[in-house]
């Protein structure tokens, strides 16, 4: 693997449930997400904060299309928070229905708090961790610090909304701190996506880093 490959996927979920894209600020990252999963081929991917599933189902689509052995876990209470707003059972019911109909061998939904889910993962077992829960500084810092031990050597963490400096969001602040300490890459569009390598870099990082300006432009345009 020496180059970054872009695909032209069909995201099956969008035809069945248009609200997934309507309600998500994550939409602008789903093609990168898809290509990243196919390039990295993680064994275990965990998402903290799924809501309607724009990011989660984009991961699952890549795993399904490439027939990867990846297990994708979505952790969410599916009741909402002060930034996403509170919502009813209809969201979980629809996410659960789509997960079992479209991605039955790939997706695992854990309807619980992030803290309660920690015990279900061994230390060093997660290859890709996506942190997209409550965006207040103390909350996202807690999510990062409590889940970091679960990350595998050379594992990657994504942070959504690193570009938002309003609404009481504080991911940007944590991101400023972390990118000073560890190798990282970032998108600014669609709320911003930070890509952190806090447990060492590998050949995937080298490919991304070497071609980052070109890769980044390809997803932002
Ligand atoms: C920003 S939304 C996730 C957006 C989603 N990744 C997407 O692609 O559209 C945040 C979600 O995190 C969940 N959440 C926030 N804090 C949580 C916690 N401590 N435990 C479990 N779920 C939490 C909320 O219920 C909400 O659905």
């Amino acid at each position: 693997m020496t180059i970054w490959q872009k695909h032209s996927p069909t995201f099956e979920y969008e035809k069945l449930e248009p609200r997934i894209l309507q309600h998500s600020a994550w939409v602008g990252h789903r093609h990168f997400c898809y290509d990243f999963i196919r390039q990295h081929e993680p064994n275990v991917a965990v998402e903290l904060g799924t809501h309607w599933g724009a990011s989660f189902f984009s991961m699952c689509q890549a795993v399904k299309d490439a027939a990867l052995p990846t297990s994708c876990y979505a952790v969410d209470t599916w009741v909402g928070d002060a930034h996403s707003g509170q919502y009813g059972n209809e969201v979980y019911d629809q996410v659960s229905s789509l997960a079992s109909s479209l991605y039955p061998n790939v997706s695992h939904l854990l309807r619980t708090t992030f803290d309660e889910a920690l015990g279900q993962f061994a230390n060093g077992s997660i290859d890709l961790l996506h942190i997209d829960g409550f965006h207040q500084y103390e909350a996202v810092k807690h999510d990062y610090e409590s889940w970091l031990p679960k990350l595998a050597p050379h594992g990657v963490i994504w942070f959504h909304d690193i570009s938002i400096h309003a609404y009481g969001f504080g991911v940007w602040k944590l991101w400023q701190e972390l990118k000073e300490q560890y190798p990282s890459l970032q998108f600014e569009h669609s709320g911003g996506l930070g890509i952190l390598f806090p447990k060492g870099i590998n050949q995937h990082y080298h490919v991304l880093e070497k071609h980052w300006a070109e890769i980044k432009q390809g997803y932002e345009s």
Side-chain angles (χ1 to χ4, degrees):
M1 192 279 305
T2 53
I3 55 163
W4 183 259
Q5 192 176 353
K6 288 188 82 172
H7 302 82
S8 300
T10 297
F11 292 104
E12 295 170 79
Y13 58 82
E14 69 184 326
K15 294 191 188 75
L16 297 178
E17 180 47 270
R19 286 176 292 184
I20 292 173
L21 300 189
Q22 288 163 11
H23 289 289
S24 180
W26 218 88
V27 176
H29 299 300
R30 64 192 186 132
H31 285 275
F32 172 75
C33 164
Y34 182 96
D35 294 337
F36 186 98
I37 295 276
R38 293 198 58 160
Q39 192 103 1
H40 279 240
E41 302 186 353
N43 287 317
V44 175
V46 174
E47 171 166 280
L48 306 181
T50 297
H51 202 170
W52 282 99
S55 46
F56 183 66
F57 288 142
S58 300
M59 290 183 191
C60 293
Q61 189 70 55
V63 172
K64 178 179 178 178
D65 292 352
L68 299 176
T70 312
S71 295
C72 295
Y73 294 88
V75 187
D76 201 312
T77 54
W78 277 283
V79 297
D81 58 51
H83 287 145
S84 62
Q86 304 295 314
Y87 53 82
N89 269 329
E90 181 200 14
V91 179
Y92 176 75
D93 291 345
Q94 180 65 327
V95 169
S96 178
S97 166
L98 288 175
S100 54
S101 61
L102 292 176
Y103 312 106
N105 304 314
V106 175
S107 61
H108 307 274
L109 306 186
L110 303 179
R111 192 174 192 184
T112 184
T113 65
F114 302 156
D115 285 354
E116 284 164 352
L118 276 165
Q120 302 199 36
F121 298 89
N123 283 350
S125 66
I126 298 174
D127 302 295
L128 172 62
L129 177 67
H130 177 215
I131 299 180
D132 193 17
F134 186 36
H135 289 337
Q136 187 215 25
Y137 174 76
E138 288 76 12
V140 68
K141 187 172 164 64
H142 171 77
D143 296 340
Y144 168 73
E145 289 178 345
S146 55
W147 282 82
L148 185 61
K150 306 296 178 184
L151 196 71
H154 306 129
V156 182
I157 307 181
W158 293 346
F159 293 88
H160 188 229
D161 281 329
I162 61 167
S163 301
I164 308 296
H165 290 246
Y167 320 119
F169 284 21
V171 190
W172 64 270
K173 187 173 169 211
L174 180 65
W175 182 247
Q176 292 288 345
E177 296 165 4
L178 294 176
K179 74 179 193 179
E180 298 295 322
Q181 299 173 48
Y182 301 111
S184 68
L185 300 161
Q186 68 184 77
F187 290 106
E188 278 78 34
H189 72 294
S190 253
L193 188 73
I195 304 157
L196 193 74
F197 297 78
K199 292 201 175 175
I201 53 178
N202 57 16
Q203 81 273 22
H204 300 302
Y205 173 80
H206 290 300
V207 170
L208 280 167
E209 197 271 336
K210 187 173 173 193
H211 303 286
W212 187 241
E214 189 186 340
I215 289 171
K216 189 175 177 188
Q217 190 181 32
Y219 293 103
E220 288 175 340
S221 54

